[in-house]
Amino acid sequence: RFTRAGERKPSGHHLFDQECQAHGIEHRLIKPGRPQTNGMVERFNGRISDVLSTRRYVSGEDLEQTLKRYAWLYNHHIPQKALHHQSPIAVMKEWQIKRPELFTKRVVNHTGPDIYKLIIPKKILCF
């Protein structure tokens, strides 16, 4: 949502704000005129779109499982340039060592993509 005055805090009156509040999600607004931030979101959405276009889904549960698998793969095994070519989980583990007070659970990295391939049918991994 675009605001002329450049407010950074959600009003709380918008339906999306209310949904976020109902689910305990912090809704943040980006600074107006910051295409870099929006570009990161759009790039991630494009990756999700590519994953979803690789096959047909027989049910909502099938689609949900594919999205969960991709999120797991993305977070645990895909290095990100913005994170100095590390996966998000690897960076979280470093943060947990430096700032343990920010975490309520221990960050755990799971086994690599080779094990993951055994669980997921090969046709899903056509990213």
Side-chain angles (χ1 to χ4, degrees), residues 41-81:
V41 172
E42 293 300 328
R43 191 166 38 256
F44 183 76
N45 289 344
R47 288 178 178 171
I48 294 289
S49 178
D50 290 345
V51 168
L52 297 181
S53 67
T54 61
R55 64 178 227 143
R56 293 180 189 257
Y57 300 93
V58 294
S59 68
E61 290 174 3
D62 187 20
L63 173 63
E64 181 181 0
Q65 287 303 311
T66 298
L67 290 170
K68 285 181 178 179
R69 289 177 186 130
Y70 180 74
W72 180 85
L73 185 64
Y74 182 91
N75 286 326
H76 289 268
H77 299 290
I78 299 177
Q80 304 297 315
K81 184 177 178 184

